Amino acid sequence: MPRVFLGLGANLGDRLGALQQAVDLLARRGVRTVACSRVWATAPVGGPTDQPEFLNVVVEVDPGELSPVDVLDAANDVEAELGRVRDVRWGPRTIDIDILLWGDLRSDDPRLTIPHPRMHERAFVVLPLLDLDPDPRLPDGRRIVELPAPAGEARPYASPLSVPT
Ligand code: ADP
Ligand code: MG
């Protein structure tokens, strides 16, 4: 079974609540979280610098029989569902869900690029990922811990989210 990792981020409203709801809603769509990193508080990378701080987690999921595109569809549905609840007007998203790694799979499709481009360069991905796997590798065999240190500020903020049973 390939190990599948998703990255979740929120920087609006009830951020911790949005992350927990995302985990719960993904599970209802068959994308069950089996392990969650600590919650990390991270400075925004790219985009406007006046954006609020993010909360980020990485979760390991069991996709069952779902394909990567099925999981992306589920993630987009959950983003839309939570976004609609919180935001009336166009603006920063309540939740962002990215597929980071899917075992050794590589996909160059712009709609679904795996591994997620530049994930290994971002502290808000790498530090939570290391909570779940102390020595993750990219599909090309590179060890993430041997790459240049990832950019951006990240500090532990809260214990892991609760994992749906
Ligand atoms: P970002 O996550 O880069 O801030 P978005 O969440 O708006 O940006 O995603 C933009 C597009 O990225 C989505 O339409 C999605 O199809 C595409 N995409 C490509 N690869 C992935 C991936 N591995 N995980 C999630 N989305 C991806
Ligand atoms: Mg995204």
Side-chain angles (χ1 to χ4, degrees):
M1 288 286 282
R3 294 188 78 181
V4 178
F5 295 97
L6 308 185
L8 278 61
N11 80 333
L12 273 185
D14 175 9
R15 300 169 299 166
L16 213 43
L19 293 172
Q20 184 68 59
Q21 280 190 73
V23 164
D24 296 346
L25 291 171
L26 283 167
R28 277 197 230 160
R29 285 168 172 78
V31 185
R32 196 173 54 88
T33 289
V34 296
C36 183
S37 73
R38 287 175 288 174
V39 180
W40 291 75
T42 69
V45 174
T49 48
D50 58 351
Q51 279 199 78
E53 181 182 74
F54 275 79
L55 295 184
N56 288 93
V57 292
V58 169
V59 295
E60 181 170 2
V61 299
D62 174 3
E65 300 299 313
L66 299 181
S67 71
V69 167
D70 292 335
V71 171
L72 180 66
D73 288 343
N76 288 342
D77 286 350
V78 171
E79 287 177 343
E81 188 166 338
L82 290 177
R84 272 202 300 272
V85 173
R86 303 281 176 183
D87 303 325
V88 179
R89 311 185 70 183
W90 192 261
R93 285 156 304 168
T94 311
I95 190 87
D96 179 38
I97 304 173
D98 293 324
I99 302 177
L100 303 174
L101 291 168
W102 191 293
D104 290 336
L105 181 74
R106 280 187 254 192
S107 163
D108 292 331
D109 184 338
R111 201 177 97 79
L112 182 56
T113 308
I114 298 175
H116 196 272
R118 295 173 302 285
M119 57 162 277
H120 55 283
E121 299 170 4
R122 295 173 169 174
F124 68 81
V125 174
V126 171
L127 295 175
L129 177 62
L130 290 170
D131 283 342
L132 298 180
D133 181 348
D135 191 9
R137 285 167 197 268
L138 295 170
D140 63 14
R142 283 184 295 166
R143 297 173 63 201
I144 288 176
V145 295
E146 288 183 339
L147 298 175
E153 287 166 42
R155 63 188 162 83
Y157 179 88
S159 9
L161 303 172
S162 54
V163 169
T165 47

